[in-house]
Amino acid sequence: MSVTPSSPDYILPKLKAETLASLVKKGVRLSGRALDEFRDFSVKVGYIPNADGSAFVKLGNTQVVAGVKLEVGTPYPDTPNEGTLVVSAEFVPTASPVFEPGPPDENAIELARVIDRSLREIRAIDLSKLVLVPGKKVWVVWIDIYVLDHDGNLVDASAIAVLAALLTTKIPKVVVSPEGGITVKKGEYEGELGLSRRVITVTIGKLGDVLLVDPDLEEESVLDTKIVVAVSDDGRISGIQKSGMGALTYEEVLKAMDLALRKGGELIELVSSATLKQLKEGS
Amino acid sequence: MSVTPSSPDYILPKLKAETLASLVKKGVRLSGRALDEFRDFSVKVGYIPNADGSAFVKLGNTQVVAGVKLEVGTPYPDTPNEGTLVVSAEFVPTASPVFEPGPPDENAIELARVIDRSLREIRAIDLSKLVLVPGKKVWVVWIDIYVLDHDGNLVDASAIAVLAALLTTKIPKVVVSPEGGITVKKGEYEGELGLSRRVITVTIGKLGDVLLVDPDLEEESVLDTKIVVAVSDDGRISGIQKSGMGALTYEEVLKAMDLALRKGGELIELVSSATLKQLKEGS
Amino acid sequence: MSVTPSSPDYILPKLKAETLASLVKKGVRLSGRALDEFRDFSVKVGYIPNADGSAFVKLGNTQVVAGVKLEVGTPYPDTPNEGTLVVSAEFVPTASPVFEPGPPDENAIELARVIDRSLREIRAIDLSKLVLVPGKKVWVVWIDIYVLDHDGNLVDASAIAVLAALLTTKIPKVVVSPEGGITVKKGEYEGELGLSRRVITVTIGKLGDVLLVDPDLEEESVLDTKIVVAVSDDGRISGIQKSGMGALTYEEVLKAMDLALRKGGELIELVSSATLKQLKEGS
Amino acid sequence: MVSTSERPRLIMEDGRRYNGRAYDELRPIRMQVGVLNNANGSALVEYGRTKVLAAVYGPREPQLKHVSIPYRAVLRCRYHMAPFSTHDRKSPAPSRREVELSKVIRESLEPVVVSEMFPRTSIDIFIEVLNADGGTRTASVTAASLALADAGIPMKDLVAGVAVGKVDGVIVLDIDEVEDMYGEADMPVAAAPSLNLITLLQLNGVLTPDEFKKSLDLALSGIRRIHEGMKETLRRRYLEVKVEE
Amino acid sequence: MVSTSERPRLIMEDGRRYNGRAYDELRPIRMQVGVLNNANGSALVEYGRTKVLAAVYGPREPQLKHVSIPYRAVLRCRYHMAPFSTHDRKSPAPSRREVELSKVIRESLEPVVVSEMFPRTSIDIFIEVLNADGGTRTASVTAASLALADAGIPMKDLVAGVAVGKVDGVIVLDIDEVEDMYGEADMPVAAAPSLNLITLLQLNGVLTPDEFKKSLDLALSGIRRIHEGMKETLRRRYLEVKVEE
Amino acid sequence: MVSTSERPRLIMEDGRRYNGRAYDELRPIRMQVGVLNNANGSALVEYGRTKVLAAVYGPREPQLKHVSIPYRAVLRCRYHMAPFSTHDRKSPAPSRREVELSKVIRESLEPVVVSEMFPRTSIDIFIEVLNADGGTRTASVTAASLALADAGIPMKDLVAGVAVGKVDGVIVLDIDEVEDMYGEADMPVAAAPSLNLITLLQLNGVLTPDEFKKSLDLALSGIRRIHEGMKETLRRRYLEVKVEE
């Protein structure tokens, strides 16, 4: 059951909302950012020692951890020779005064599914390489997104964290016994997971007839609607989600795609280089 | 936890309730029906192309769909050489202003279990014919009852739909590999499921000292109690359920049995012939 | 989510609470018991014919049933050559006006886990003897604690019931087929489960600077805090749980340990002899 | 997983049942009221090895405001099986069977409880099956009835319950688990004998119309005997008899 | 477990799709309103073998007080699949997919419903997928829109939905389950054509920017045709046409 | 499924622990407060590789009216493990262990929070274990205590926690996961040192009375050192030290 939200994540004081709206019309944002400008972000990879890949991301004041774990499981019957991928997201109650403990709500589920789809069809992870015993035992790639602090644009912050975590994920060492029993060598790794394609999302907010990227929480509270576009490192669109109550015109959708493709390419490079830099410095 | 209902399915205006009661004493019903008269009903079989058997039933304004699916599963340990049968019912929120989404409540559970019991002990479905690999793989017969619109007597409407659906259910074609693996041939069938016995239910309401069959929603809202009797095509009783808050005298119970056996026989023939007629016309 | 209780299990009238507190300072309890005195208790073993071991215990007006069942299951991967142990507790709504039906709350879960830990590390049950097919089939020992009437100190009443039930638990007879299939012979037994160590808990309440054992419901409602100490028949501590809102000083903790060890030894003997007496008389 | 022995013979050559009882013989029945300290009323009822505890709280304020009714008390009823009560351990989560039985047991008591005397309140009936050997729902009705009486709730009559069955073709009274499992029909009945009202009636299995009438008659005869025992129990607080002595 | 046959060829040599349709051809669409007696509004919509029922209750008092909003009606929307609607039986518990689709369908209707007219009330939209053959969410938007209109809820426009896909490299309209499963992209779109507003847009799969524009154009052309059919249905109460004839 | 290597030797020939620490040596401890923007108070605490985040919201209106208390604030506390925090992925559904630990952690803080100052309000403590390497509950107490202080909630003392254990027969301070798993006893302790109050005490495993006293003394010595570090952290907002330097 999806219900029109009666208590929004954040309520912007009326005066401030008006200022924000009138500034945006002039191409200016409360934060001083340009309409097509992301907030600064930082990435810390290897943040979760017990994960096989992980990253802590701060996008403005939004904080997200993504942890990747590989576990031995069974393949789906219709893809016996592929590993499996599960993406989950939790909006933990540390993150906002309106988040309560409990199973993921529709927003967390939507976020996880948007990230999942952005990776799946483009085969960002080559699941055919994750087979241990064909038809019987494969790697299950668990991607868990943990939202720690919410200052808007949780999707892109999560996408950045997932990209960074996947770029640093390693495949555990296993011993397969003659009978097909599998023992994971705790703490030992065989190599990198590797990505066939790097993918990011770009979230674009619509306020009146203005489009702006990476909305923060104040902006989200007054937006008409949002559109999330997943962009791959070869300049294709690997996912779209209109999210939120309003609507976009045909022209706005096309404009949003252009904007997303441009910013997405930049973002992939920024995340990749930040990640690789740390990999070189670290371990 | 079962609780005395505080909000009934329907509230009949007081004046109308009094009229109804006084008419019924004279053997007349608001709808003009005789006390032992079912409402008109229609059956559409094959309503759900993805099911292996299905029927849409309209009994007065009550609308029910029953879908039967056969899936490969494992037998119960104590009946290794029989298929299994699972009957479920959902009162979906389209059906009534008082139905809310959620897991089946006690009324839906009771309905499913009454239908289940009416079929099980009399072995209406010969489960011993549904074995694929003895002790290991059998057919699971899923019967799902979906109440779309509630105008009273959901049990009999469901029983009609289930009977019609089962009479038209086909067994999917499978290939059993030498190692015991089973592949279902999507959309191909081996033959009819067939019924060893045809069974129907007859619901009888008690109002004061009057008994009436097939109560509609207005009548149900003022009944003292109801009794559901499952009747087989060989004139036996294959299930009983007193349902509702009141009670019946010994004499009323015996009278209800007579009535049920008479109407049940008629109903089985009506449903069977309507179903067979469509089978001939259709596919 | 654990929340400060807003409706306690019991509310002692203010005047009585004051009397209780002032008496206790003088070493006297409302019930006339000494501070280190348990309430009288009775044990009935074999109370549940369908269980493999069981006991009904009345500790004052607190009533608890413990039932032990052995079922065939699979071992945990990291202990392939040991049976498994599961302890659960339900505070059923018969027991108190404030207990509602539903899954176990934090108090029931805590109780079950405290009892579980008291038995597990000291290996009171020798799980290595409960292997049927090494690595594949073992006995699962289910211990279910059922609180029927709540007059305080549910933990010790449960521990008494569990000890008595385990002392009388028998291992069902099984037939292992050549292919490793296992058939349990209903109602036939191979021998005693046996206990490597007998363990009991002693609950000590703190009120002001006074410690008292086996608090009843009235006392519990005004205690500052409680400490549960599990004691084994060889005079060791096999578990501790500070439980409740308050705190203890270092000196109080040490004093509580002494008290618990002394009372625990006595209690184990009392329970054992009561149980054995019944075993001789009965069956 | 219990061994599935061959279907046993249920009616012996001498016409007695496998458990030695005559076709119209009840199991030994024990009834006790006031067994709990906290509950307003309680009863422990045993039909042979079937052992059921019932507790009544109320009339009291409903836990949830929205279930109150302005002109009467609501009855809340839970039939629940202890995990150790069955041969294979029962998961404590309520099964569909328990949901249904909670309803039919509540509905078997609704006709006798004078609920109009306590508007806007709740009368809560908690039934715990401690050991199950057939007939748990009917023993539950008996126990709940006694617990209501013990709680001082006004009732028009005591409701008693018993199951009849058809085993090896014979209609027999108060079937146990084996007779239920291997028999051809199980028909639980509850009634308020003084009012001539049948308040619970279910049939699982197949009967001819004649067999049905015979079964119902047999059930009502058993119910009358149990009903006598209940009245005696409320006078004496405890009764352990072969009720039909 | 359905046999996993080889990936079928989806575009034939003559350029037609495996199901015989042209790239821009809708399936036969049937729409009917007022199909339920109890609901304030209802609609049954079929896109080929995809069959969806929508019911609207409201504006009415919210079931739960705390979900009411002082200045508008809340929309409550549930997209739910019947257990028999899919090839493998679907568990009735709501899946993550159903949770997400309930949200995007609600959000596709929010822009057109004049919710400010009914403060503190709830407009409840219940969608049941009876048979699933691809495009269920877009058929659901169409059905919900019709049910809202049938209930007399004021709307700025009717929203219609359709999915486009990329199969064997070709952008095609109104894909069915096979085309969805074996195709390269699935893009559901819903729009209010008179308002030039896109109210639902998702993409599962991969498209180049050019392919995206082509897909969006094709979807909107299909939506306009369905939108015409919807208006006709509301006039006639029932419509069964190949909408594009 | 992690390989079950042989039980490792935990105390080396030189008397040191397998991880190089002395028996009474804490792991490197890092503490930081004010790490979250939205929470009223927050802290990130690391005991070696154990990493715990705590957030405090409140005093604020309770989410659910019926949990409010007229004369004090309620504490709500959730101890929760992130799915990636453990070697085998943890299901996000709360386990029985998490339910119990939420309770004992709350009860370890109740004695120091001046809850009477904020009647009818709720003080909500959310603890997320981000990486688990033993001692998560005691690190959680320390983190929650710091987050409460960071939120400006008046407290009579800061509560600090640490676990002692018995490994290879030796009582050692601040055990990690390996020492917990292969050791003979694990005893988590939390205390308010300035008040001489032990607010959390559990034992999983077996100790003689003498070993118990030795363990408790060792725990309290560790707690006093961590308590000093906490005070320093609140002055400096961040502390990364081997606390016992």
Side-chain angles (χ1 to χ4, degrees), chain B residues 1-205:
Chain B
M1 204 72 180
S2 177
V3 185
T4 309
S6 53
S7 56
D9 286 4
Y10 181 76
I11 298 170
L12 194 63
K14 207 170 168 225
L15 192 64
K16 205 167 181 185
E18 285 164 4
T19 314
L20 190 156
S22 68
L23 280 177
V24 156
K25 275 190 197 162
K26 298 172 199 150
V28 189
R29 296 164 78 167
L30 272 186
S31 56
R33 280 192 283 155
L35 294 178
D36 67 347
E37 189 181 348
F38 265 78
R39 289 170 286 180
D40 286 340
F41 69 87
S42 64
V43 178
K44 261 189 241 176
V45 298
Y47 191 72
I48 306 295
N50 283 342
D52 301 314
S54 65
F56 168 86
V57 164
K58 232 180 138 177
L59 173 63
N61 278 320
T62 289
Q63 298 186 44
V64 172
V65 176
V68 181
K69 291 184 96 77
L70 272 69
E71 298 203 335
V72 178
T74 49
Y76 294 119
D78 51 341
T79 52
N81 294 311
E82 293 193 356
T84 64
L85 170 66
V86 186
V87 182
S88 302
E90 286 185 68
F91 291 4
V92 296
T94 62
S96 162
V98 303
F99 292 172
E100 275 291 297
D105 72 354
E106 63 179 27
N107 296 302
I109 287 172
E110 184 185 34
L111 185 151
R113 288 176 58 85
V114 166
I115 300 288
D116 181 307
R117 287 196 293 262
S118 76
L119 301 167
R120 191 177 292 276
E121 289 292 317
I122 204 167
R123 303 186 77 77
I125 301 168
D126 186 352
L127 296 174
S128 67
K129 289 191 183 158
L130 299 179
V131 180
L132 292 162
V133 181
K136 300 219 167 130
K137 291 288 173 193
V138 297
W139 285 114
V140 181
V141 181
W142 292 97
I143 300 182
D144 281 287
I145 296 163
Y146 227 57
V147 173
L148 302 181
D149 211 357
H150 175 16
D151 193 32
N153 198 8
L154 300 180
V155 177
D156 294 356
S158 300
I160 295 170
V162 168
L163 176 55
L166 285 172
L167 283 171
T168 57
T169 297
K170 287 173 284 180
I171 300 178
K173 197 164 255 174
V174 294
V175 177
V176 183
S177 76
E179 311 92 60
I182 289 175
T183 314
V184 177
K185 292 296 202 180
K186 191 173 156 179
E188 294 179 47
Y189 290 99
E190 289 198 345
E192 308 289 321
L193 172 66
L195 285 182
S196 309
R197 290 253 80 90
R198 289 167 295 154
V199 176
I200 205 74
T201 64
V202 176
T203 295
I204 293 167

Side-chain angles (χ1 to χ4, degrees), chain F residues 162-164 173 187 189 214-224:
Chain F
V162 77
V164 288
L173 184 62
M187 188 170 97
V189 185
K214 207 166 154 189
S215 299
L216 186 59
D217 289 340
L218 186 57
L220 291 173
S221 86
I223 283 171
R224 277 187 293 269

Side-chain angles (χ1 to χ4, degrees), chain E residues 180-198:
Chain E
D180 184 2
M181 190 183 308
Y182 298 105
E184 297 100 69
D186 166 32
M187 189 169 98
V189 184
S194 317
L195 303 174
N196 180 29
L197 284 179
I198 293 163

